């Protein structure tokens, strides 16, 4: 294990273009539940009831209750040493980009700058009818939230299942993956597309893949190094 960590550290520190992709696992030690683990959110709730445009059309109050519950939870937690280590790496690396699937804002709170949020941000709302978008950091959004522009219903500014990602954001992420010299894959089950495809894109374009995850995943077999440990324990050791 020690040797593997040293090899990973050397790759990370000597890489001209360092890119990281994170998932819910990086925030697990902050106290944010993951989605697919034993205590994962999708073990207790059905995605189709809470995180699809159809669910919002059918029962917006229920969907808002779910997001208010998550807002409340996230408002009470903070970043952990894994988030901080990525901030340190951004300062060290010649070029660094952080692509996250998380909507919890903890990377920004920790101080990461070149951040690509693939699935949106829980502290922003957008209109379900027009293009209005705004930051709203209230822990609980009173129902029904009304768009100040068109009177439509506001929704969380996050990507739901069955929806497309913002093309500009996705294109930026693809460009980073294509040009990465070293690509860190941290705390993601790598099953949700198109986020997971970034890993294959990086690999195909010659990146050295380092996975940090408690368990083997869909991309472990193509990783050059797989470290089975908590991100908060390993990432600070790579800085
Ligand atoms: P998942 O819940 O699918 O996966 C979390 C991963 O983190 C698992 O592979 C765990 O083994 C790993 N893990 C847990 N604790 C860890 C720790 N302390 N250190 C390192 N690894 C740890 O979460 P995501 O892959 O992020 O999408 O899920 C992807 C997307 O599915 C989310 O962005 C969300 C969800 O539904 C949308 O909402 C669109």
């Amino acid at each position: 294990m020690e040797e593997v960590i040293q090899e990973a550290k050397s790759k990370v520190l000597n890489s001209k273009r360092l890119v990281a992709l994170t998932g819910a696992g990086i925030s697990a030690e902050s106290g944010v539940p993951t989605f697919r683990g034993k205590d994962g959110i999708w073990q207790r709730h059905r995605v189709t009831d809470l995180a699809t445009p159809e669910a919002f059309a059918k029962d917006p109050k229920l969907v808002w209750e779910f997001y208010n519950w998550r807002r409340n939870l996230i408002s009470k937690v903070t970043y952990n040493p894994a988030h901080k280590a990525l901030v340190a790496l951004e300062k060290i690396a010649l070029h660094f980009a952080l692509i996250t699937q998380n909507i919890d804002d903890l990377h920004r709170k920790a101080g990461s700058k070149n951040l690509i949020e693939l699935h949106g941000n829980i502290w922003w709302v957008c209109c379900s009818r027009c293009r209005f978008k705004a930051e709203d950091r209230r822990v609980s959004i009173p129902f029904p939230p009304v768009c100040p522009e068109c009177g439509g219903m506001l929704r969380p500014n996050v990507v739901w299942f069955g929806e497309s990602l913002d093309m500009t954001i996705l294109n930026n992420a693809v460009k980073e993956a294509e040009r990465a010299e070293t690509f860190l894959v941290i705390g993601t089950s790598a099953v949700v597309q198109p986020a997971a495809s970034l890993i294959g894109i990086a690999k195909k374009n010659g990146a050295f893949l380092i996975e940090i995850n408690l368990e083997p995943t869909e991309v472990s077999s193509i990783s050059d190094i797989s470290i089975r440990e908590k991100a908060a324990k390993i990432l600070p050791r790579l800085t």
Side-chain angles (χ1 to χ4, degrees):
M1 174 76 136
E2 195 50 42
E3 251 171 51
V4 174
I5 293 173
Q6 287 314 316
E7 189 191 354
K9 180 174 179 174
S10 159
K11 284 285 177 194
V12 163
L13 295 183
N14 292 312
S15 170
K16 284 186 204 69
R17 296 190 76 90
L18 179 61
V19 180
L21 171 71
T22 63
I26 196 166
S27 296
E29 273 151 282
S30 293
V32 183
T34 61
F35 295 97
R36 295 177 182 77
K38 179 166 60 68
D39 301 315
I41 289 179
W42 301 145
Q43 302 296 334
R44 282 171 285 142
H45 304 281
R46 284 208 310 232
V47 173
T48 44
D49 291 342
L50 299 170
T52 60
E54 292 77 21
F56 189 72
K58 185 173 156 220
D59 195 345
K61 193 160 188 280
L62 179 73
V63 173
W64 264 115
E65 275 165 14
F66 173 61
Y67 280 91
N68 278 338
W69 169 73
R70 290 179 71 188
R71 280 175 165 249
N72 184 42
L73 193 152
I74 290 166
S75 73
K76 294 194 177 113
V77 304
T78 195
Y79 51 81
N80 67 52
H83 297 97
K84 274 314 244 188
L86 292 176
V87 178
L89 287 176
E90 179 161 23
K91 289 186 181 141
I92 298 167
L94 270 182
H95 174 84
F96 178 87
L98 175 51
I99 307 167
T100 189
Q101 298 165 84
N102 300 344
I103 60 169
D104 59 24
D105 208 34
L106 294 184
H107 284 304
R108 189 174 289 104
K109 201 170 172 185
S112 285
K113 300 275 184 275
N114 193 15
L115 179 63
I116 300 174
E117 290 175 308
L118 289 176
H119 294 162
N121 186 302
I122 193 153
W123 300 117
W124 281 68
V125 294
C126 61
C127 183
S128 56
R129 205 196 282 164
C130 74
R131 295 170 73 90
F132 177 80
K133 223 178 241 186
E135 190 172 4
D136 189 336
R137 290 194 165 255
R138 283 177 295 172
V139 168
S140 188
I141 303 282
F143 189 86
V146 177
C147 174
E149 301 278 334
C150 77
M153 175 120 43
L154 294 177
R155 54 166 277 181
N157 188 36
V158 299
V159 177
W160 284 328
F161 285 90
E163 291 185 320
S164 304
L165 272 62
D166 178 296
M167 275 319 280
T168 309
I169 293 174
L170 181 60
N171 285 340
N172 284 342
V174 168
K175 269 189 218 139
E176 291 292 354
E178 281 171 349
R179 294 156 72 193
E181 191 177 321
T182 300
F183 196 85
L184 288 162
V185 184
I186 306 157
T188 175
S189 56
V191 293
V192 171
Q193 298 296 354
S197 70
L198 296 168
I199 305 163
I201 290 173
K203 179 79 183 175
K204 208 177 78 198
N205 284 276
F208 189 86
L209 280 195
I210 302 173
E211 180 183 52
I212 302 171
N213 197 307
L214 287 176
E215 292 166 8
T217 71
E218 297 290 312
V219 295
S220 299
S221 60
I222 62 161
S223 297
D224 296 288
I225 291 180
S226 282
I227 303 177
R228 303 265 158 271
E229 249 302 352
K230 289 181 173 168
K233 192 168 166 196
I234 297 302
L235 275 173
R237 299 196 55 197
L238 304 186
T239 62

